[in-house]
Amino acid sequence: MDLIGALTQQYMKPELPAMNVGDTVRVTVRIKEGNRERNQAFEGVIIAKKHGGINETITVRRISYGVGCEKVFPVHSPTIVSVDTVRRGKVRRAKLYYLRDRVGKAAKVKERL
């Protein structure tokens, strides 16, 4: 194993849940406000997965009060407490950027059974 791979291996999370593009997930993030810490959940559809290894990220999109909101989460970040799969989506592409232009029921992803 190369030196960079060995160095980054110790910072990667050993067990990651099965998450794919199109899945609805609930990402729980640890937020620090002053001297207090709390956990906050962000639930939405994974529209993209990028990179690999320690640099792996997922882009999660949700509609909040009629406005689309996207967040990019580094999967191996220590601030991420958990990633729970709420619903599995049936999609045929790797990036779901077309959901940005859709509104209402057209922005839904079919469920994989």
Side-chain angles (χ1 to χ4, degrees), residues 28-84:
T28 308
V29 184
R30 185 178 298 116
I31 293 180
K32 191 171 185 179
E33 297 172 332
N35 56 358
R36 297 184 327 153
E37 280 191 4
R38 65 183 177 87
N39 293 341
Q40 180 174 337
F42 187 88
E43 185 172 332
V45 178
I46 297 178
I47 63 169
K49 284 178 76 174
K50 287 188 175 179
H51 314 300
I54 194 77
N55 298 325
E56 186 177 357
T57 61
I58 56 171
T59 304
V60 182
R61 177 178 176 81
R62 71 183 283 186
I63 306 294
S64 180
Y65 298 103
V67 178
C69 177
E70 292 182 6
K71 282 191 178 183
V72 179
F73 295 103
V75 175
H76 295 286
S77 172
T79 59
I80 292 190
V81 178
S82 66
V83 179
D84 303 321

Side-chain angles (χ1 to χ4, degrees), residues 93-111:
R93 28 183 93 215
K95 305 282 191 272
L96 303 181
Y97 296 139
Y98 67 90
L99 291 179
R100 293 172 175 166
D101 302 327
R102 306 272 175 105
V103 180
K105 286 189 178 178
K108 282 193 172 182
V109 175
K110 289 183 183 176
E111 187 167 4

